[in-house]
Amino acid sequence: GDSVTQKQGQVTLSEDDFLFINCTYSTTTYPTLLWYVQYLGQGPQLLLKVTTANNKGISRGFEATYDKGTTSFHLQKASVQESDSAVYFCALVENNYAQGLTFGLGTRVSVFP
Amino acid sequence: DTTVKQNPRYKLARVGKPVNLICSQTMNHDTMYWYQKKPNQAPKLLLFYYDKILNREADTFEKFQSSRPNNSFCSLYIGSAGLEYSAMYLCASSDWGGETLYFGSGTRLTVL
C-alpha cells in the first residue's frame, strides 16, 4: 500500500533560519503530494500541493519540489518566523481518491525569536 | 465559511462504555472523513462517507461505526471503549476528488 515517510520528528530553529523537512513516499500510482500544517489547537490545513505534472508547489513562502527519481517532496522555507511554529505533515492522495489521504508522522517545528 | 466543527473538544470515557463523537460542516461537501491521531503516529483514516455511502478501513471495520443523517452532520460511534481508543479524533470534509480536506480542531478522547 501507499506510505509516506518523515524521519524528522522535531526541528528547532531560530528566526530567519532555513527550514528543510525531508519526506519520501512509496506508491504504485501517480499521486498528488501534499503538505499540511497544524497550528496549536487547530486541525491540519492544506499548505501546498505538488502534482507530477507541475513538479513544484509554492505557498506562503514554503516550497516543495517533487523528485520522481528519489520519490521525495521535501518542504523548505528560506527564512522562518516564530509564527511558522507548527506540526507539518506530508501526505499523498492517489489519483482515484478512493483511499483518502495517507499521512506521514509529522514534524514538529519550533521557531524561537 | 470554511468551518468544520467537532464536539466535544475533550471527552472522558470509561472502559466498556459507548462513545459518540459528532462533527458538522457548513460547506456542503459530499465527503466526510474520520481520522484517528495518536502521539508519534500518523493520522490514520478510519472511515469516510461519500454522500450516504460509508467506506470503512479493513483493519478498523469492527471497531468504529458512523452515521450521516444529512449532508452536514457525521458521527463516530464506539460501542465499547477500550484503553487503545484513547487518541485525538479528527473529522474532515471535502468535495469528492479534492485534495483539500478541511479539518475540525479534533476531539481528544481519553478512556480510563
Side-chain angles (χ1 to χ4, degrees):
Chain A
D2 296 341
S3 67
V4 180
T5 301
Q6 281 179 266
K7 293 186 176 180
Q8 300 154 280
Q10 186 158 331
V11 174
T12 302
L13 300 168
S14 299
E15 282 192 324
D16 298 324
D17 280 353
F18 173 71
L19 171 67
F20 181 88
I21 303 176
N22 187 295
C23 183
T24 59
Y25 70 92
S26 174
T27 179
T28 58
T29 65
Y30 295 95
T32 295
L33 309 169
L34 309 141
W35 280 97
Y36 274 75
V37 58
Q38 184 175 20
Y39 299 104
L40 187 65
Q42 301 180 23
Q45 57 183 270
L46 181 65
L47 176 60
L48 57 81
K49 68 177 181 180
V50 181
T51 66
T52 54
N54 62 22
N55 286 347
K56 178 176 285 189
I58 299 174
S59 175
R60 302 187 236 169
F62 291 87
E63 179 178 315
T65 302
Y66 164 65
D67 186 329
K68 185 179 179 181
T70 59
T71 60
S72 66
F73 59 116
H74 313 312
L75 182 71
Q76 57 186 22
K77 186 176 185 182
S79 177
V80 293
Q81 301 303 306
E82 190 175 2
S83 57
D84 294 323
S85 296
V87 179
Y88 293 81
F89 295 95
C90 57
L92 67 80
V93 58
E94 292 188 3
N95 54 11
N96 62 4
Y97 305 103
Q99 304 300 323
L101 299 186
T102 299
F103 283 93
L105 288 175
T107 299
R108 181 175 298 279
V109 174
S110 301
V111 181
F112 294 94
Chain B
D1 180 18
T2 55
T3 301
V4 178
K5 294 185 178 179
Q6 292 187 243
N7 287 297
R9 190 65 184 269
Y10 299 93
K11 177 77 173 178
L12 191 63
R14 295 293 183 185
V15 171
K17 297 298 185 181
V19 176
N20 195 48
L21 308 180
I22 62 174
C23 176
S24 63
Q25 52 97 5
T26 58
M27 294 166 281
N28 200 34
H29 286 155
D30 52 20
T31 309
M32 295 185 73
Y33 310 80
W34 281 99
Y35 281 83
Q36 181 191 64
K37 176 70 172 73
K38 293 185 176 182
N40 301 315
Q41 295 184 21
K44 175 181 170 55
L45 179 65
L46 299 177
L47 54 89
F48 67 92
Y49 264 101
Y50 168 62
D51 195 15
K52 298 184 185 301
I53 301 171
L54 174 61
N55 299 270
R56 287 186 285 180
E57 293 296 290
D59 58 344
T60 56
F61 188 86
E62 297 180 345
K63 294 185 175 182
F64 299 94
Q65 303 285 339
S66 183
S67 67
R68 191 178 186 188
N70 56 60
N71 177 271
S72 301
F73 179 92
C74 188
S75 66
L76 182 70
Y77 180 76
I78 301 167
S80 177
L83 297 176
E84 72 276 16
Y85 286 87
S86 292
M88 174 71 81
Y89 289 86
L90 294 165
C91 174
S93 70
S94 75
D95 291 321
W96 177 255
E99 299 99 1
T100 304
L101 269 60
Y102 295 89
F103 283 87
S105 298
T107 294
R108 184 171 296 281
L109 173 66
T110 302
V111 182
L112 301 175

